[in-house]
Amino acid sequence: MSFASLGLCEPILRTIDEQKYAEPFPIQVEAIPAILSGRDVMAAAQTGTGKTASFTLPLLQRLAGGCKVKSNHVRALILAPTRELALQIAENIATYGKQLPLKTAVVYGGVKINPQMMKLRGGVDVLVATPGRLLDLFGKNALKFAQVETLVLDEADRMLDMGFIGDILKILALLPKQRQNLLFSATVSDDLRTLTKALLNNPVQIEVNPRNSAAVNVKQSVYEVDKKMKPALLSHLLRDRNWAQVLVFARTKKEADRLVKQLEGDNISAVAIHGDKSQNQRARALTRFKANQFRVLIATDIAARGLDINELPHVINFDLPKLPENYIHRIGRTGRAGAEGEGISLVCADEVKLLAAIESLICQTLVREVEAGFAPTHRVPLTRQQQVRPKKLKKPKQKRAVD
Ligand code: AMP
C-alpha cells in the first residue's frame, strides 16, 4: 500500500517522502480516504500509531483546495488537552504542510495572550488550541468561527479526564453547524461515547488496536518493592541497567522534584517537567532530553501527555497512576511507531488495588519481578481473579467400545 493510492496530492507526497515513511500505518490507510471524502471520523487509536499524520495530511489537502481565510477567522480547529500536545501537532502540521500555502497557529495558556492575538489578526487556516485559551481569545474578539469547516478533537478521552467537557460544549455551540468532525481517543469510556453521539454525524469508525489495550510491542513488568525502598530501587535500576534515555512518571509535582534531587545526588542526570514549570522550561527540557543532554526525564501525567520522543526505549512508573487509563497513556510513550519498548512499574503493597484495576483494564496479568536486594517485606498479591485456579478437568467417562 502506498500513500499515493490513498488519494494524497503531490506536494504532500513529497513531504512524506522526505520523512522517509515507507508506507502508511493502518490508521492512515483507513482515516486518510475517509477524511478526504469529507466524512466524520471516530478513531480509537493509541498514541504512537501515526494518528497525527492520519488527520493532518488529509486536512491540509482539503484546506489547500478551499477558499481564502478572512481576518481573525479560522478554517480548521484542532483541540488538544495540553500545551505539549498542541505544540507537537503544530510541529507536524509545519512539517507536512510546508509545500502548501496555508497559515497555521498554535495557542495555549500559561503564556502572554497578546502575541497570540496578533498572530490571529490576519486569520489562520489551521489553529491548534487548548480549550481554555481558545475561549479566552474568543472572549477578546480575537477569533471568529464562521469559517470553520473542520473540527478535530485529539486525545478526547484525556480532555474529558481533565474536566474540559464544559469548555468543549461551549466551543461546539459557537461553531457553524455544517462542518466535518474528527475525534481521536486512545481509550473509550461511556462519557466519551455520549460526547461522540452529540458531535459526530454518521462517522466512519476506526479501531486500529484492541480497545483499551497497552501497546503490544512494549514488554511490561512489575517490580515488587516496599514503598520506602522505591527511590533506592529507581537509582539502582538506572545504574545497573545502563539505559540511555528513561522517562519516569511520578504522581505529584513534589515527588518529581524530589526524585530529580535524589538522582542528581546519585550522579544520574535528571530533569523534571510538571505543571509548575513554565512553558519555556518544559519545552527546553524536552529539546535537551531529545538531544541526549541528560538521561532521565521525570514527568507527571499531564506534563507528559503528547511527548513524542522517537525510539524512547524505557518508561518507569515510579508510582502507579490513580486512573488506570493513564497507565496506557504512560506506556504508550515507548514502543512508538513499531519500535520495541519496555515499561516497568515499581509497585508497593499499598498499590495492589490500582494494579488490579490496570490489569483488568488491559486484560493482562503483568509479570512480577523482584530485584535482588530489594525483596519487599509484603509481597504484592495477585488479584482475586488471578488466584482462582483453573477447575480441575473431570476425567472423561470411558466410552464403552461399540463394535
Ligand atoms: P503519532 O501516533 O501521531 O504520535 O505518531 C507517532 C510517530 O510515528 C511519529 O514520530 C511520526 O513521525 C511517525 N509516523 C507517522 N506515520 C508514519 C509512517 N507511515 N511511517 C513511519 N513513521 C510514521
Side-chain angles (χ1 to χ4, degrees):
M1 174 74 67
S2 69
F3 275 102
S5 67
L6 300 177
L8 291 169
C9 62
E10 202 40 54
I12 290 186
L13 292 173
R14 275 203 298 276
T15 53
I16 292 173
D17 258 5
E18 279 170 22
Q19 294 302 303
K20 305 210 173 2
Y21 295 169
E23 55 176 27
F25 286 155
I27 187 167
Q28 295 162 354
V29 171
E30 294 196 55
I32 291 173
I35 298 173
L36 283 176
S37 74
R39 294 279 306 269
D40 279 9
V41 166
M42 146 89 203
Q46 280 181 254
T47 176
T49 52
K51 70 182 166 69
T52 317
S54 83
F55 66 84
T56 47
L57 296 174
L59 179 69
L60 291 171
Q61 177 157 330
R62 277 171 64 83
L63 291 170
C67 59
K68 204 168 170 296
V69 69
K70 298 182 203 157
S71 305
N72 290 103
H73 280 70
V74 182
R75 294 175 61 212
L77 187 57
I78 303 177
L79 295 183
T82 63
R83 309 157 197 188
E84 279 78 13
L85 183 64
L87 276 167
Q88 201 180 296
I89 298 169
E91 251 174 51
N92 274 295
I93 290 175
T95 307
Y96 300 139
K98 70 175 175 213
Q99 308 262 1
L100 300 170
L102 294 171
K103 289 190 273 184
T104 309
V106 54
V107 295
Y108 43 79
V111 290
K112 283 186 187 144
I113 201 165
N114 279 8
Q116 296 180 347
M117 291 172 69
M118 301 281 278
K119 254 198 228 161
L120 296 173
R121 268 203 194 150
V124 289
D125 295 287
V126 191
L127 180 64
V128 190
T130 53
R133 179 51 62 100
L134 186 85
L135 285 171
D136 291 347
L137 285 160
F138 179 78
K140 288 186 178 293
N141 282 330
L143 262 176
K144 296 194 169 76
F145 294 123
Q147 265 192 298
V148 172
E149 301 162 31
T150 307
L151 170 71
V152 184
L153 296 190
D154 195 14
E155 306 209 340
D157 49 349
R158 185 70 179 174
M159 287 204 254
L160 296 185
D161 288 349
M162 289 170 68
F164 281 137
I165 186 67
D167 284 351
I168 292 173
L169 294 177
K170 273 186 213 155
I171 294 166
L172 292 183
L174 299 171
L175 302 182
K177 296 262 173 310
Q178 270 296 333
R179 55 167 202 268
Q180 184 179 33
N181 300 290
L182 315 174
L183 183 140
F184 291 77
S185 182
T187 52
V188 182
S189 63
D190 288 343
D191 283 352
L192 190 88
R193 241 174 261 119
T194 314
L195 176 67
T196 54
K197 269 198 197 132
L199 179 73
L200 302 173
N201 177 21
N202 186 25
V204 174
Q205 306 241 5
I206 301 173
E207 201 164 324
V208 285
N209 277 317
R211 189 148 67 82
N212 295 344
S213 74
V216 280
N217 42 346
V218 179
K219 187 177 156 231
Q220 300 166 65
S221 52
V222 162
Y223 276 70
E224 297 179 38
V225 60
D226 284 341
K227 193 173 184 170
K228 62 177 190 314
M229 292 303 286
K230 277 191 180 190
L233 177 58
L234 179 67
S235 290
H236 165 80
L237 289 173
L238 290 169
R239 236 183 275 122
D240 187 68
R241 305 298 200 266
N242 219 8
W243 295 321
Q245 257 192 327
V246 186
L247 176 60
V248 174
F249 282 95
R251 205 183 289 150
T252 62
K253 303 169 199 170
K254 227 172 160 181
E255 187 165 71
D257 286 337
R258 204 168 41 76
L259 286 175
V260 168
K261 277 207 186 111
Q262 178 211 314
L263 293 181
E264 281 177 344
D266 288 340
N267 270 332
I268 300 168
S269 52
V271 173
I273 53 167
H274 52 61
D276 281 354
K277 303 269 176 183
S278 73
Q279 179 54 27
N280 286 344
Q281 282 173 319
R282 290 200 235 175
R284 211 171 103 73
L286 201 54
T287 315
R288 290 184 53 225
F289 187 56
K290 285 183 180 180
N292 276 316
Q293 289 178 5
F294 60 92
R295 256 182 91 193
V296 186
L297 182 67
I298 304 186
T300 54
D301 286 301
I302 291 179
R305 188 73 167 160
L307 296 187
D308 181 16
I309 302 148
N310 282 338
E311 292 160 36
L312 178 68
H314 303 287
V315 166
I316 299 182
N317 292 317
F318 184 79
D319 295 309
L320 288 181
K322 282 230 165 84
L323 286 173
E325 287 83 3
N326 280 347
Y327 176 83
I328 298 175
H329 297 309
R330 289 177 175 194
I331 293 296
R333 305 295 109 202
T334 179
R336 311 199 95 195
E340 296 275 310
E342 188 168 3
I344 287 171
S345 303
L346 310 189
V347 179
C348 65
D350 296 355
E351 294 171 301
V352 174
K353 278 198 182 142
L354 295 177
L355 181 61
I358 289 167
E359 292 185 322
S360 122
L361 181 74
I362 62 175
C363 302
Q364 208 177 321
T365 305
L366 299 173
V367 177
R368 268 75 168 159
E369 313 256 9
V370 173
E371 183 69 6
F374 291 89
T377 40
H378 299 288
R379 296 295 306 269
V380 176
L382 293 175
T383 60
R384 198 148 2 115
Q385 287 112 304
Q386 292 157 2
Q387 284 170 352
V388 177
R389 299 235 161 84
K391 278 187 192 148
K392 269 193 182 165
L393 292 174
K394 278 187 192 157
K395 262 192 183 170
K397 276 184 194 159
Q398 281 217 310
K399 275 190 190 158
R400 231 184 287 140
V402 248
D403 255 334

